[in-house]
Amino acid sequence: MDYFKDLLELLRIEREEDRNAYLKLTQSTSVSDRRAAGITWYPIAIRGNEPSRGDYITVEVERTTHKDLSHQFRFGVPAVLFSNHDAGTDRVEGTIAYSGGDRLKITLFTDELPDWTRNGKLGVELLFDNNSYDEMQSALKTASALKDKPEAKLIRILTGEAEPGFADADYNRTFPSLNPSQQTAAQQILGANELSIVHGPPGTGKTTTIVQAIKGLIKQDNKQILVVAPSNTAVDLLSEKLAAEGLNVLRIGNPARVSEKLSALTLDSKMGDHKYTKDIKEMKKQASGYKNMAHQYKRSFGKAERDQRKALFDEAHRIMKDVAKTEQFIIDDLVAKAQIITATLVGSNHYTIRDVKFDTVVIDEAGQALEPACWIPILKAQKLIMAGDHLQLAPTIKSNKAAQKGLATTLLEKCATQHPQAVTLLEEQYRMNEAIMGFSSREFYGNRLKANEGVAQRLLFEKDLPMTFVDTAGCGFDEKLEGTSSTNPEEAVFLFKHLYQLAEQIAARGLEFPSIAIISPYKGQIRILKELFEASELIKYKDKISVNTIDSFQGQERDVVYISMTRSNAEGEIGFLADTRRMNVAMTRARKKLVIIGDSSTITRLPFYADMVTYAENISGYQSAWEYQN
């Protein structure tokens, strides 16, 4: 087996599936369908433009309608500016340079705005992101070429051909703010020569631990560290926490959350504060002036006019070359001064840091990171720290074939299995009542989790049950198929009946209404639950109640969680309820109360759910739905 050859083949299958899905969506649907799918903004207005790197131009656009629709535009992805007057020809490609609120900046691969942009009916659309796949493919090929070289020990460790080493030196630096297992993890990070893994189950303070460990690494040898994660949201969280510790953080790419604290860490913001930026603004103004003068000759075609026009354009280009040199100087200066550089996995090869080498790279949320993407930052360092939980949700993969052949297995999972000596499990959790935590701890974490005393006995109100399984077996709540998704309308109605009773108990005690998540693995069931919620009296608590799929709640927590299992059939078919890691995520979102509603006769065909029902019985948390039928 050739490790990297196999990965390259899986990546090829994934790219093909992804591209075909994109082409199907863009070639056979209307602008409004593509807008609803989050890949198009239409209509838009141009709010400004300025000369950019090379001979390109950066245009700022704003969507003028449909502002409530979510979208997939993000820093660094390819996009096209188009006119709906003649969408076939009137288009110019570029890259998203900024995404925030209802505004985007696109660097267009042209030195001037085409005439058709003045005629309205403009839109912007995502292109298929070949760039990310190219970056991943290139990283895998480079790793393959390097792996037998003496300096590539980290690559051989990660592919299972060598073992990680740990320094003998006394690294028992104390971390007063960390609990014992967090301290162990941080100390191992400091002592690791090539690899250290922090296994952070839900609520165990994984981010807190790695922030303190990174601070310790900087103190230890004062070398620059690259900190990455698969999503912008995870990068934002780390950037903010590291900056709060007084470290000099440079955020490459633009944050998902628009906050002043985060914006101040970005390259754009830091460049804006640099002493040479005034010179750049002045030069760009001059270049724009020369270009505007050149445009006055646009429709005059005498030789003298042509020469004059060319001379003006040449002068504008010469000035922009000076701008590029000055910008590069500022970027190099800011990158060199940063103690920590943060980016997404693919963003870690952005042109500003492409050739920068680091001593250590930290990959957070590594349980959700596609392995080929991890190799992009790994190749920049000699030491790797991974933090995450391979027993929660795996990365999203478009191709079932690639997933089944191994793309769904993350590098974190492989390394945790091959190199257990490099893994520290964080054992104390700060989120859940111990009854909510207990089942997950036993099934996934070798019964090693313990609840911090501040949360262990925490309840919604006195004598409430923290974890309940409400069994709908025999109630006739049969599942239905809606398109490709399972639904169970009667179970959904029952869930709200249960929630009404809970709301009444809370009101009777004069308590503040808690935060509640209503979740199901099935999109069809979520649609029904949302409709019931919007038609119910509980809509007055819409700021407190969220209804969504399990995947959308990864990393979040609520006071109360309701899970609608949905499946109920005589054959005992449970579909992707069999993905027990997804259930691990669902069950561990709750702080004070977890209510699981399902048909035991269907779900207990899988031993995992049989164990769950037994666990509920043992803690007096088993109830039959019949008890509520009045």
Side-chain angles (χ1 to χ4, degrees):
M1 166 183 137
D2 184 320
Y3 191 93
F4 291 106
K5 199 173 161 189
D6 290 353
L7 264 181
L8 280 161
E9 175 57 15
L10 294 176
L11 188 64
R12 184 194 66 74
I13 296 168
E14 175 72 357
R15 185 199 291 236
E16 213 164 272
E17 179 80 22
D18 199 3
R19 187 194 285 115
N20 290 341
Y22 171 83
L23 291 174
K24 193 174 165 190
L25 181 62
T26 53
Q27 289 175 354
S28 59
T29 54
S30 64
V31 163
S32 57
D33 287 342
R34 301 198 300 274
R35 182 171 57 202
I39 65 165
T40 301
W41 279 11
Y42 180 85
I44 57 163
I46 290 177
R47 298 298 184 215
N49 67 77
E50 62 171 25
S52 186
R53 289 175 63 78
D55 292 332
Y56 298 150
I57 185 168
T58 295
V59 178
E60 183 171 3
V61 303
E62 182 177 14
R63 58 174 168 178
T64 49
T65 64
H66 300 85
K67 294 184 176 190
D68 56 326
L69 293 179
S70 61
H71 64 86
Q72 298 171 45
F73 289 95
R74 61 186 194 281
F75 173 82
V77 297
V80 60
L81 179 71
F82 68 89
S83 160
N84 220 23
H85 283 296
D86 187 354
T89 54
D90 293 346
R91 48 193 282 128
V92 57
E93 293 185 7
T95 307
I96 301 295
Y98 170 82
S99 162
D102 293 307
R103 294 204 172 208
L104 292 173
K105 284 185 184 175
I106 316 164
T107 300
L108 298 172
F109 305 148
T110 178
D111 63 350
E112 53 184 312
L113 267 178
D115 288 344
W116 52 260
T117 58
R118 295 171 182 83
N119 302 333
K121 282 201 168 184
L122 297 180
V124 59
E125 185 159 290
L126 282 179
L127 291 171
F128 179 69
D129 190 5
N130 266 311
N131 173 51
S132 293
Y133 283 103
D134 289 346
E135 292 280 15
M136 289 189 264
Q137 184 180 305
S138 169
L140 293 176
K141 286 180 175 174
T142 305
S144 181
L146 285 174
K147 82 173 163 68
D148 297 324
K149 297 211 158 71
E151 67 274 19
K153 189 177 178 192
L154 177 59
I155 297 176
R156 291 192 294 281
I157 289 167
L158 298 179
T159 56
E161 291 174 29
E163 290 297 322
F166 296 88
D168 294 330
D170 178 17
Y171 281 118
N172 284 345
R173 180 191 297 281
T174 54
F175 296 88
S177 60
L178 301 183
N179 69 40
S181 63
Q182 292 173 335
Q183 291 236 24
T184 304
Q187 283 158 2
Q188 191 192 59
I189 286 171
L190 266 60
N193 293 336
E194 305 89 8
L195 176 67
S196 181
I197 296 169
V198 180
H199 184 185
T204 52
K206 169 180 62 70
T207 306
T208 303
T209 306
I210 56 174
V211 165
Q212 290 305 315
I214 289 167
K215 204 174 157 188
L217 282 170
I218 295 276
K219 269 188 193 164
Q220 183 176 294
D221 51 26
N222 204 27
K223 285 182 180 157
Q224 203 171 40
I225 297 174
L226 175 63
V227 178
V228 293
S231 71
N232 274 304
T233 311
V235 178
D236 290 349
L237 178 67
L238 274 167
S239 303
E240 218 164 17
K241 293 203 165 189
L242 287 161
E245 291 289 335
L247 296 164
N248 181 345
V249 177
L250 176 62
R251 166 76 158 98
I252 303 292
N254 76 275
R257 287 185 292 125
V258 184
S259 76
E260 273 180 50
K261 269 189 207 164
L262 270 170
S263 300
L265 307 177
T266 62
L267 192 61
D268 281 354
S269 171
K270 292 194 177 202
M271 283 181 82
D273 295 338
H274 201 278
K275 59 183 175 184
Y276 290 131
T277 296
K278 278 197 196 95
D279 302 347
I280 287 179
K281 281 184 179 158
E282 200 47 53
M283 287 192 280
K284 280 186 175 177
K285 209 163 150 191
Q286 280 180 341
S288 288
Y290 282 122
K291 279 188 178 178
N292 290 338
M293 285 159 70
H295 286 309
Q296 290 168 11
Y297 295 100
K298 209 167 197 173
R299 285 168 182 79
S300 307
F301 293 104
K303 182 178 183 320
E305 284 86 0
R306 265 203 305 271
D307 289 349
Q308 184 61 24
R309 185 171 191 236
K310 184 179 182 309
L312 288 164
F313 268 126
D314 286 348
E315 186 56 22
H317 285 315
R318 187 194 63 72
I319 292 170
M320 284 310 292
K321 276 186 180 161
D322 287 344
V323 166
K325 279 182 194 159
T326 312
E327 277 185 343
Q328 196 56 53
F329 172 81
I330 295 174
I331 288 165
D332 292 346
D333 187 42
L334 290 170
V335 168
K337 284 178 178 158
Q339 291 171 297
I340 291 159
I341 287 176
T342 63
T344 57
L345 296 165
V346 176
S348 66
N349 217 22
H350 189 247
Y351 74 87
T352 49
I353 53 167
R354 184 158 289 154
D355 302 319
V356 181
K357 292 287 180 203
F358 299 86
D359 184 60
T360 302
V361 60
V362 178
I363 303 179
D364 191 23
E365 299 297 355
Q368 285 193 280
L370 210 56
E371 180 176 351
C374 291
W375 285 98
I376 301 168
I378 288 169
L379 293 175
K380 296 172 168 288
Q382 298 298 309
K383 173 170 165 172
L384 170 66
I385 315 299
M386 281 192 283
D389 184 5
H390 49 284
L391 302 174
Q392 292 188 62
L393 289 180
T396 303
I397 293 168
K398 309 277 196 321
S399 161
N400 286 334
K401 184 180 173 187
Q404 282 158 9
K405 287 192 158 190
L407 196 59
T409 307
T410 59
L411 187 62
L412 175 75
E413 188 173 353
K414 289 178 186 175
C415 289
T417 307
Q418 285 168 339
H419 308 299
Q421 73 276 35
V423 183
T424 309
L425 177 74
L426 303 181
E427 295 176 355
E428 188 171 358
Q429 67 82 20
Y430 297 83
R431 174 182 298 165
M432 297 163 265
N433 177 295
E434 62 187 5
I436 299 170
M437 172 203 78
F439 180 67
S440 179
S441 177
R442 198 175 71 191
E443 291 287 318
F444 295 97
Y445 305 106
N447 227 1
R448 286 172 64 189
L449 295 191
K450 57 178 184 288
N452 175 273
E453 59 183 23
V455 303
Q457 303 298 324
R458 194 168 57 174
L459 297 169
L460 209 50
F461 47 81
E462 202 180 336
K463 296 197 174 144
D464 186 36
L465 288 173
M467 191 257 185
T468 315
F469 174 72
V470 186
D471 192 355
T472 63
C475 291
F477 295 176
D478 294 336
E479 66 180 75
K480 294 168 179 57
L481 197 62
E482 187 180 280
T484 56
S485 187
S486 296
T487 65
N488 193 324
E490 285 130 323
E491 182 177 291
V493 168
F494 175 78
L495 185 150
F496 275 97
K497 189 175 182 181
H498 193 285
L499 180 51
Y500 272 126
Q501 288 191 9
L502 181 67
E504 282 169 3
Q505 288 175 295
I506 290 162
R509 287 168 170 78
L511 300 170
E512 190 187 336
F513 198 79
S515 62
I516 297 178
I518 299 171
I519 54 190
S520 169
Y522 294 96
K523 284 186 175 150
Q525 186 73 344
I526 291 298
R527 186 191 58 72
I528 291 172
L529 288 163
K530 279 184 172 170
E531 284 173 4
L532 287 170
F533 174 49
E534 279 158 18
S536 77
E537 289 170 32
L538 293 167
I539 194 69
K540 65 185 173 190
Y541 298 117
K542 64 176 185 289
D543 296 340
K544 296 277 195 170
I545 300 175
S546 342
V547 186
N548 219 325
T549 57
I550 295 171
D551 299 40
S552 67
F553 281 106
Q554 169 115 347
Q556 297 187 43
E557 55 187 69
R558 297 288 190 275
D559 292 326
V560 181
V561 169
Y562 274 83
I563 304 173
S564 170
M565 301 292 277
T566 309
R567 301 306 296 261
S568 177
N569 57 72
E571 297 73 38
E573 286 177 8
I574 61 168
F576 62 68
L577 281 188
D579 180 356
T580 56
R581 291 181 186 185
R582 185 172 260 107
M583 281 310 295
N584 186 30
V585 172
M587 293 171 174
T588 54
R589 301 306 96 201
R591 296 188 196 109
K592 301 173 184 175
K593 187 176 183 68
L594 171 65
V595 181
I596 302 168
I597 299 172
D599 179 348
S600 66
S601 66
T602 300
I603 64 174
T604 56
R605 308 278 178 103
L606 193 73
F608 174 85
Y609 293 112
D611 288 351
M612 182 189 80
V613 173
T614 304
Y615 176 81
E617 285 170 345
N618 290 341
I619 60 164
S620 307
Y622 175 89
Q623 294 176 338
S624 167
W626 286 103
E627 294 171 33
Y628 294 85
Q629 306 287 52
N630 51 46

